[in-house]
Amino acid sequence: EAQVTQNPRYLITVTGKKLTVTCSQNMNHEYMSWYRQDPGLGLRQIYYSMNVEVTDKGDVPEGYKVSRKEKRNFPLILESPSPNQTSLYFCASRDHYNSPLHFGNGTRLTVT
Amino acid sequence: GQQVMQIPQYQHVQEGEDFTTYCNSSTTLSNIQWYKQRPGGHPVFLIQLVKSGEVKKQKRLTFQFGEAKKNSSLHITATQTTDVGTYFCAGGATSGTYKYIFGTGTRLKVLA
């Protein structure tokens, strides 16, 4: 089944404790992206990747890192999480520019 | 920078009533995509519009793309409880950045 898999679904952590949210897709998509969803703000792009070893900042990249060492994986790294990074995070992938985005099930992160 | 505004933010309707959400971009778009997110779920692709003035229908859903390719609308006729969720538009940039800007979303509640 074609899918984007994110883990974990829920994560509660403390300020400053490094964490990684994993994302994997099995559709051989070149493009992958991370979004955060906050009430009233919709989906805001954090980082995206056009292909392996090619990443670029989205609209809200501060406090986040990504890597794209393999085509299927695109982890989101928070080196020193802060409470303002409490949010619902989605990973997504697509085949080419005009293709639909396929979203993962989301990761609800709480930073205390 | 490019912005996509979506109104209304919330809409409560009685089952059987019609519903419309509007997207307005500050710049001309190359195309626009619409997504639906059920409560607790992830965004799921509904449709894409590419041509100026384009109108597409999916059963009770009608999607329009403005003549100037700066606005779009989604109209649902005779809403049902299964229509509950948040509807997002995503405008494709014309600048060659392969970027989509999501609207802030409209949360629809349908009262039975």
Side-chain angles (χ1 to χ4, degrees), chain A residues 37 59 94 97-99 101 104, chain B residues 30 35 37 93 98-100:
Chain A
Q37 183 176 13
D59 297 312
R94 69 169 186 244
Y97 177 64
N98 279 342
S99 298
L101 279 167
Chain B
S30 65
Y35 293 80
Q37 182 180 22
Y98 306 100
K99 191 166 181 161
Y100 279 84

Side-chain angles (χ1 to χ4, degrees), chain B residues 25 31 46 59 61 64 70 86 89:
Chain B
S25 170
N31 60 348
L46 293 176
K59 297 182 181 176
L61 277 61
Q64 291 189 325
K70 294 179 77 172
T86 301
C89 62

Side-chain angles (χ1 to χ4, degrees), chain A residues 70-81:
Chain A
E70 309 160 283
K71 200 170 189 178
R72 63 183 295 124
N73 295 324
F74 191 44
L76 180 69
I77 303 152
L78 284 73
E79 295 268 0
S80 183

